[in-house]
Amino acid sequence: MSYFDDKQPLVADIFARYPSTPQGRRSALMPLLREVQNAHGYVSDGHMHEIAALIGSTATEVRSVMSFYSTYSTVPTGRYHLQVCSTLMCSLAGSDELWDEIVELTDVQPGEVSADGLFSVQKVECLGSCGTAPVVQLNDAGYYENVTRRKCGELIAMMRAGITPGFDAPVPVTVSAGGQQVTAAGESVGASIRSLHPLGGPS
């Protein structure tokens, strides 16, 4: 059975957010990807083909869209998915050395999950916290800032013990199930997709 076979109400709700046109169906790509990513921790080739069929596209196009976003993974991830910012400010502040330390301490490379299922690692583009470089993001939940080798070792030791260390900062903006952007402080920003109205003729 495919992932969405028993989730028709969910699929209908996602498609209802967009115009009933071929282009509108293709717009549902991101929330469908997010649904699978949240459920499995990654989006497999099979899921890509299933989503492509739902939106009237190809698995190649689905994969190409995914490649722009570090929040999507095409391989399984560990319980603690560590994402190291690798852009200029973090690199100047020591993210390359931090990356080497994380890889050594977790004994994994990109695309792998540690034997105990705890860790996976990934280099990502700017996390938008340049003033607190180098930065590590854990899953989609929060940031560890100004991460030294010592702090890195302490964080990973806590994770090995099954403890999720408190974040220095939450991920700045998330998107709720209803399509509403929510800041780290819990404030809704922008318009919800449910408040949008179809474009009509001149009023």
Side-chain angles (χ1 to χ4, degrees):
M1 182 172 69
S2 297
Y3 178 76
F4 290 104
D5 282 352
D6 60 349
K7 298 176 178 63
Q8 291 312 304
L10 170 65
V11 173
D13 177 66
I14 291 173
F15 282 130
R17 303 172 192 173
Y18 304 99
S20 300
T21 63
Q23 293 84 359
R25 290 187 73 82
R26 289 162 66 94
S27 298
L29 171 58
M30 299 294 273
L32 292 171
L33 284 171
R34 173 50 54 191
E35 171 64 25
V36 173
Q37 177 80 27
N38 287 347
H40 294 281
Y42 74 109
V43 182
S44 69
D45 283 341
H47 292 135
M48 290 182 216
H49 281 87
E50 182 181 4
I51 291 171
L54 286 170
I55 66 172
S57 183
T58 65
T60 300
E61 183 174 8
V62 171
R63 181 182 284 275
S64 71
V65 170
M66 287 178 61
S67 70
F68 283 99
Y69 301 93
S70 61
T71 55
Y72 299 123
S73 177
T74 59
V75 293
T77 56
R79 175 179 174 187
Y80 301 109
H81 184 55
L82 302 169
Q83 299 150 80
V84 179
C85 185
S86 61
T87 44
L88 181 60
M89 288 304 295
C90 279
S91 182
L92 292 173
S95 68
D96 293 337
E97 293 80 5
L98 174 60
W99 171 260
D100 292 341
E101 183 76 2
I102 288 176
V103 167
E104 181 177 342
L105 289 174
T106 60
D107 195 27
V108 289
Q109 293 289 334
E112 299 176 348
V113 176
S114 60
D116 55 14
L118 286 179
F119 298 107
S120 55
V121 296
Q122 180 182 11
K123 282 188 178 182
V124 296
E125 294 303 314
C126 186
L127 293 173
S129 192
C130 301
T132 60
V135 177
V136 177
Q137 179 176 317
L138 175 63
N139 302 332
D140 289 330
Y143 292 168
Y144 299 114
E145 302 171 327
N146 300 304
V147 183
T148 61
R149 292 183 64 172
R150 178 177 177 179
K151 181 174 181 178
C152 176
E154 292 170 350
L155 292 171
I156 290 176
M158 290 180 71
M159 293 174 194
R160 278 197 196 287
I163 301 167
T164 300
F167 298 116
D168 294 321
V171 171
V173 176
T174 56
V175 179
S176 70
Q180 179 74 53
Q181 287 190 332
V182 181
T183 68
E187 301 169 354
S188 296
V189 294
S192 166
I193 54 173
R194 301 195 188 284
S195 66
L196 300 177
H197 303 284
L199 295 174
S203 54

Coordinates of all heavy atoms in Angstrom, one line a residue, residues 129-194:
S129 N 21.7 32.8 11.2 CA 22.1 33.2 12.6 C 23.6 33.5 12.6 O 24.4 33.0 13.4 CB 21.8 32.0 13.6 OG 22.0 32.4 14.9
C130 N 24.0 34.4 11.6 CA 25.4 34.7 11.4 C 26.1 35.2 12.6 O 27.3 35.0 12.8 CB 25.6 35.6 10.2 SG 24.8 35.0 8.7
G131 N 25.4 36.0 13.4 CA 26.0 36.6 14.6 C 26.4 35.7 15.7 O 27.0 36.0 16.7
T132 N 25.9 34.4 15.6 CA 26.2 33.4 16.6 C 26.9 32.2 16.0 O 26.7 31.1 16.5 CB 24.8 33.0 17.3 OG1 24.0 32.4 16.3 CG2 24.2 34.1 18.0
A133 N 27.6 32.4 14.9 CA 28.3 31.3 14.3 C 29.4 30.8 15.1 O 30.0 31.5 16.0 CB 28.9 31.8 12.9
P134 N 29.7 29.5 14.9 CA 29.1 28.5 14.1 C 27.8 27.9 14.7 O 27.7 27.8 15.9 CB 30.2 27.4 13.9 CG 31.0 27.5 15.1 CD 31.0 28.9 15.6
V135 N 26.9 27.6 13.8 CA 25.6 27.2 14.3 C 25.3 25.7 13.8 O 25.6 25.3 12.7 CB 24.5 28.1 13.7 CG1 23.1 27.7 14.1 CG2 24.7 29.5 14.2
V136 N 24.6 25.0 14.7 CA 24.1 23.6 14.4 C 22.6 23.6 14.6 O 22.2 24.1 15.7 CB 24.8 22.5 15.2 CG1 24.2 21.2 14.9 CG2 26.3 22.5 15.0
Q137 N 21.9 23.1 13.6 CA 20.4 22.9 13.8 C 20.1 21.5 14.1 O 20.7 20.6 13.4 CB 19.7 23.4 12.6 CG 18.2 23.2 12.7 CD 17.4 23.7 11.5 OE1 17.7 24.8 10.9 NE2 16.4 22.9 11.0
L138 N 19.3 21.2 15.1 CA 18.9 19.9 15.4 C 17.5 19.6 14.8 O 16.5 20.3 15.2 CB 18.9 19.6 16.9 CG 18.3 18.3 17.4 CD1 19.2 17.1 16.8 CD2 18.2 18.2 18.9
N139 N 17.4 18.6 14.0 CA 16.1 18.3 13.3 C 15.5 19.6 12.8 O 16.2 20.4 12.2 CB 15.2 17.6 14.3 CG 15.8 16.3 14.8 OD1 16.6 15.7 14.2 ND2 15.4 15.9 16.1
D140 N 14.2 19.8 13.0 CA 13.5 21.0 12.5 C 13.2 21.9 13.8 O 12.2 22.7 13.7 CB 12.3 20.8 11.7 CG 12.6 20.2 10.3 OD1 13.7 20.5 9.8 OD2 11.8 19.4 9.8
A141 N 13.9 21.6 14.9 CA 13.4 22.2 16.2 C 14.1 23.4 16.7 O 13.5 24.3 17.2 CB 13.5 21.1 17.2
G142 N 15.5 23.4 16.6 CA 16.2 24.5 17.2 C 17.6 24.6 16.8 O 18.2 23.7 16.2
Y143 N 18.3 25.7 17.3 CA 19.7 26.0 17.0 C 20.5 25.8 18.3 O 20.1 26.2 19.4 CB 19.8 27.4 16.5 CG 19.2 27.8 15.2 CD1 19.1 29.1 14.8 CD2 18.8 26.8 14.3 CE1 18.6 29.4 13.6 CE2 18.3 27.1 13.1 CZ 18.2 28.5 12.7 OH 17.7 28.8 11.5
Y144 N 21.8 25.4 18.0 CA 22.8 25.5 19.0 C 23.8 26.5 18.4 O 24.3 26.3 17.3 CB 23.5 24.1 19.3 CG 22.5 23.1 19.8 CD1 22.2 22.0 19.1 CD2 21.9 23.3 21.1 CE1 21.3 21.1 19.6 CE2 21.0 22.4 21.6 CZ 20.7 21.3 20.8 OH 19.8 20.4 21.3
E145 N 24.1 27.5 19.2 CA 24.9 28.6 18.7 C 26.2 28.7 19.3 O 26.5 28.2 20.4 CB 24.1 30.0 18.9 CG 22.7 29.9 18.2 CD 21.8 31.1 18.6 OE1 22.0 31.6 19.8 OE2 21.1 31.6 17.8
N146 N 27.2 29.4 18.6 CA 28.6 29.5 19.1 C 29.1 28.2 19.6 O 29.6 28.0 20.7 CB 28.6 30.5 20.3 CG 28.1 31.9 19.8 OD1 28.6 32.5 18.9 ND2 27.1 32.4 20.5
V147 N 29.0 27.2 18.7 CA 29.3 25.8 19.1 C 30.8 25.6 19.0 O 31.4 25.6 17.9 CB 28.6 24.8 18.2 CG1 28.9 23.4 18.7 CG2 27.1 25.0 18.3
T148 N 31.5 25.5 20.1 CA 32.9 25.1 20.2 C 33.1 23.6 20.2 O 32.1 22.9 20.3 CB 33.5 25.7 21.5 OG1 32.9 25.1 22.6 CG2 33.4 27.2 21.5
R149 N 34.3 23.1 20.1 CA 34.5 21.7 20.1 C 34.0 21.1 21.5 O 33.4 20.1 21.5 CB 36.0 21.4 19.9 CG 36.5 21.7 18.5 CD 37.9 21.3 18.3 NE 38.1 19.8 18.5 CZ 39.2 19.2 18.2 NH1 40.3 19.9 17.8 NH2 39.3 17.9 18.3
R150 N 34.3 21.9 22.5 CA 33.9 21.4 23.9 C 32.4 21.3 24.0 O 31.8 20.4 24.4 CB 34.4 22.4 24.9 CG 34.0 22.0 26.3 CD 34.6 22.9 27.4 NE 34.1 22.6 28.7 CZ 34.5 23.2 29.8 NH1 35.4 24.1 29.8 NH2 34.0 22.8 31.0
K151 N 31.7 22.4 23.5 CA 30.2 22.4 23.5 C 29.7 21.3 22.7 O 28.7 20.6 23.0 CB 29.7 23.8 23.1 CG 28.2 23.9 23.1 CD 27.8 25.3 22.8 CE 26.2 25.5 22.9 NZ 25.8 26.9 22.6
C152 N 30.3 21.1 21.5 CA 29.9 20.0 20.6 C 29.9 18.7 21.3 O 29.0 17.9 21.3 CB 30.7 20.0 19.4 SG 30.4 18.7 18.2
G153 N 31.0 18.4 22.0 CA 31.2 17.1 22.7 C 30.1 17.0 23.8 O 29.6 15.9 24.0
E154 N 29.8 18.1 24.5 CA 28.8 18.0 25.6 C 27.4 17.8 25.0 O 26.6 17.0 25.6 CB 28.8 19.3 26.4 CG 30.1 19.6 27.2 CD 30.2 21.0 27.8 OE1 29.4 21.8 27.4 OE2 31.1 21.2 28.6
L155 N 27.1 18.4 23.9 CA 25.8 18.2 23.3 C 25.6 16.8 22.8 O 24.6 16.1 23.1 CB 25.6 19.2 22.1 CG 25.5 20.6 22.4 CD1 25.6 21.4 21.1 CD2 24.2 21.0 23.1
I156 N 26.6 16.2 22.2 CA 26.5 14.9 21.6 C 26.5 13.9 22.8 O 25.7 12.9 22.7 CB 27.6 14.6 20.6 CG1 27.4 15.4 19.4 CG2 27.7 13.1 20.3 CD1 28.4 15.3 18.3
A157 N 27.2 14.1 23.9 CA 27.2 13.2 25.0 C 25.8 13.2 25.6 O 25.3 12.1 26.0 CB 28.2 13.7 26.1
M158 N 25.1 14.3 25.7 CA 23.7 14.4 26.2 C 22.8 13.6 25.3 O 21.9 12.8 25.8 CB 23.3 15.8 26.4 CG 24.0 16.6 27.5 SD 23.4 18.3 27.6 CE 21.7 18.0 28.3
M159 N 23.0 13.7 24.0 CA 22.1 13.0 23.1 C 22.3 11.5 23.2 O 21.4 10.8 23.1 CB 22.4 13.5 21.6 CG 22.0 15.0 21.4 SD 22.5 15.6 19.8 CE 22.3 17.3 20.0
R160 N 23.6 11.1 23.3 CA 23.8 9.7 23.5 C 23.1 9.1 24.7 O 22.8 8.0 24.8 CB 25.3 9.5 23.6 CG 26.1 9.4 22.3 CD 27.4 8.8 22.5 NE 28.3 9.0 21.4 CZ 28.1 8.5 20.2 NH1 27.2 7.6 20.0 NH2 28.9 8.8 19.2
A161 N 22.9 10.0 25.7 CA 22.3 9.6 27.0 C 20.8 9.7 26.8 O 20.0 9.4 27.8 CB 22.8 10.4 28.1
G162 N 20.3 10.0 25.6 CA 18.8 10.1 25.4 C 18.2 11.4 25.8 O 17.0 11.5 25.9
I163 N 19.1 12.4 26.1 CA 18.6 13.7 26.5 C 18.8 14.7 25.3 O 19.8 14.9 24.8 CB 19.4 14.2 27.7 CG1 19.3 13.2 28.9 CG2 18.9 15.6 28.1 CD1 20.3 13.5 30.0
T164 N 17.7 15.4 25.0 CA 17.8 16.5 24.0 C 18.2 17.8 24.7 O 17.4 18.3 25.5 CB 16.4 16.7 23.2 OG1 16.1 15.5 22.6 CG2 16.6 17.8 22.2
P165 N 19.4 18.3 24.4 CA 19.8 19.5 25.1 C 18.9 20.7 24.8 O 18.4 20.7 23.6 CB 21.2 19.7 24.5 CG 21.7 18.4 24.0 CD 20.4 17.7 23.5
G166 N 18.7 21.6 25.7 CA 17.9 22.8 25.5 C 18.6 23.6 24.4 O 19.8 23.6 24.2
F167 N 17.7 24.2 23.6 CA 18.2 25.0 22.4 C 18.6 26.4 22.9 O 18.1 27.0 23.8 CB 17.1 25.1 21.4 CG 16.7 23.8 20.8 CD1 15.4 23.3 21.0 CD2 17.6 23.0 20.1 CE1 15.0 22.1 20.4 CE2 17.2 21.8 19.6 CZ 15.9 21.3 19.8
D168 N 19.6 26.9 22.2 CA 20.0 28.3 22.3 C 18.9 29.2 21.7 O 18.7 30.3 22.1 CB 21.3 28.6 21.7 CG 22.5 27.9 22.5 OD1 22.4 27.8 23.7 OD2 23.4 27.4 21.8
A169 N 18.3 28.7 20.6 CA 17.2 29.4 19.9 C 16.4 28.4 19.2 O 17.0 27.5 18.6 CB 17.8 30.5 19.0
P170 N 15.1 28.6 19.1 CA 14.2 27.7 18.3 C 14.4 28.1 16.9 O 14.9 29.2 16.5 CB 12.8 28.0 18.8 CG 12.9 29.4 19.4 CD 14.3 29.6 19.9
V171 N 14.0 27.2 16.0 CA 14.0 27.6 14.5 C 13.1 28.8 14.4 O 12.0 28.8 14.9 CB 13.5 26.4 13.7 CG1 13.3 26.8 12.3 CG2 14.5 25.2 13.8
P172 N 13.6 29.9 13.7 CA 12.8 31.1 13.7 C 11.4 31.1 13.2 O 10.5 31.7 13.8 CB 13.7 32.0 12.8 CG 15.0 31.4 12.9 CD 14.8 30.0 13.0
V173 N 11.1 30.4 12.2 CA 9.7 30.3 11.6 C 9.4 28.9 11.2 O 10.2 28.2 10.6 CB 9.6 31.3 10.4 CG1 8.2 31.2 9.8 CG2 9.9 32.7 10.8
T174 N 8.2 28.5 11.6 CA 7.7 27.2 11.2 C 6.4 27.4 10.5 O 5.8 28.5 10.6 CB 7.6 26.2 12.4 OG1 6.7 26.8 13.4 CG2 8.9 25.9 13.1
V175 N 5.9 26.3 9.9 CA 4.6 26.4 9.2 C 3.7 25.4 9.9 O 4.0 24.2 9.9 CB 4.7 26.2 7.7 CG1 3.4 26.2 7.0 CG2 5.7 27.2 7.1
S176 N 2.5 25.9 10.3 CA 1.6 25.0 11.0 C 0.9 24.1 9.9 O 1.0 24.3 8.7 CB 0.5 25.8 11.7 OG -0.3 26.5 10.8
A177 N 0.1 23.1 10.4 CA -0.6 22.2 9.5 C -1.5 22.9 8.6 O -1.8 22.5 7.5 CB -1.3 21.1 10.3
G178 N -2.1 24.1 9.1 CA -3.0 24.8 8.3 C -2.4 25.8 7.4 O -3.0 26.6 6.7
G179 N -1.0 25.8 7.3 CA -0.3 26.6 6.3 C 0.0 28.0 6.9 O 0.4 28.9 6.1
Q180 N -0.2 28.2 8.2 CA 0.1 29.5 8.8 C 1.6 29.5 9.3 O 2.0 28.6 10.0 CB -0.8 29.7 10.0 CG -0.6 31.0 10.8 CD -1.1 32.2 10.0 OE1 -2.3 32.2 9.6 NE2 -0.3 33.2 9.8
Q181 N 2.3 30.6 8.9 CA 3.6 30.8 9.4 C 3.6 31.2 10.9 O 2.8 32.1 11.3 CB 4.4 31.8 8.6 CG 4.8 31.3 7.3 CD 5.8 32.3 6.6 OE1 5.7 33.5 6.8 NE2 6.6 31.8 5.7
V182 N 4.4 30.6 11.7 CA 4.5 30.9 13.2 C 5.9 31.2 13.6 O 6.8 30.4 13.3 CB 3.9 29.7 14.0 CG1 3.9 30.0 15.5 CG2 2.5 29.3 13.5
T183 N 6.1 32.3 14.3 CA 7.5 32.7 14.7 C 7.8 31.8 15.9 O 7.0 31.1 16.5 CB 7.5 34.1 15.1 OG1 6.8 34.3 16.3 CG2 7.0 35.1 14.0
A184 N 9.1 31.9 16.3 CA 9.6 31.1 17.4 C 8.9 31.5 18.7 O 8.8 30.7 19.6 CB 11.1 31.3 17.5
A185 N 8.4 32.8 18.7 CA 7.7 33.2 19.9 C 6.2 32.8 19.9 O 5.5 33.1 20.8 CB 7.8 34.8 20.0
G186 N 5.8 32.0 18.9 CA 4.5 31.5 18.8 C 3.5 32.5 18.2 O 2.3 32.3 18.2
E187 N 4.0 33.6 17.6 CA 3.1 34.5 16.9 C 2.9 34.2 15.5 O 3.8 33.8 14.8 CB 3.7 35.9 17.0 CG 4.0 36.4 18.4 CD 4.9 37.7 18.4 OE1 5.4 38.1 17.3 OE2 5.1 38.2 19.5
S188 N 1.6 34.2 15.1 CA 1.2 34.0 13.7 C 1.6 35.2 12.8 O 1.4 36.3 13.2 CB -0.3 33.7 13.5 OG -0.6 32.5 14.2
V189 N 2.2 34.9 11.7 CA 2.6 36.0 10.8 C 2.1 35.7 9.4 O 1.9 34.5 9.0 CB 4.1 36.2 10.7 CG1 4.7 36.7 12.1 CG2 4.8 34.9 10.3
G190 N 1.8 36.7 8.6 CA 1.3 36.6 7.3 C -0.1 36.0 7.3 O -0.8 35.8 8.3
A191 N -0.6 35.8 6.1 CA -2.0 35.3 5.9 C -2.0 33.8 5.9 O -1.1 33.1 5.5 CB -2.6 35.8 4.6
S192 N -3.0 33.2 6.5 CA -3.2 31.7 6.4 C -3.8 31.4 5.1 O -4.5 32.2 4.5 CB -4.2 31.3 7.5 OG -4.6 29.9 7.3
I193 N -3.4 30.2 4.6 CA -4.0 29.8 3.3 C -5.5 29.7 3.4 O -6.2 29.8 2.4 CB -3.4 28.5 2.8 CG1 -3.5 27.4 3.9 CG2 -1.9 28.6 2.5 CD1 -3.1 26.1 3.5
R194 N -6.0 29.5 4.6 CA -7.5 29.3 4.8 C -8.2 30.7 4.6 O -9.4 30.7 4.5 CB -7.8 28.7 6.1 CG -7.2 27.3 6.2 CD -7.8 26.5 7.3 NE -7.1 25.2 7.6 CZ -7.2 24.1 6.8 NH1 -8.0 24.2 5.7 NH2 -6.5 23.1 7.1

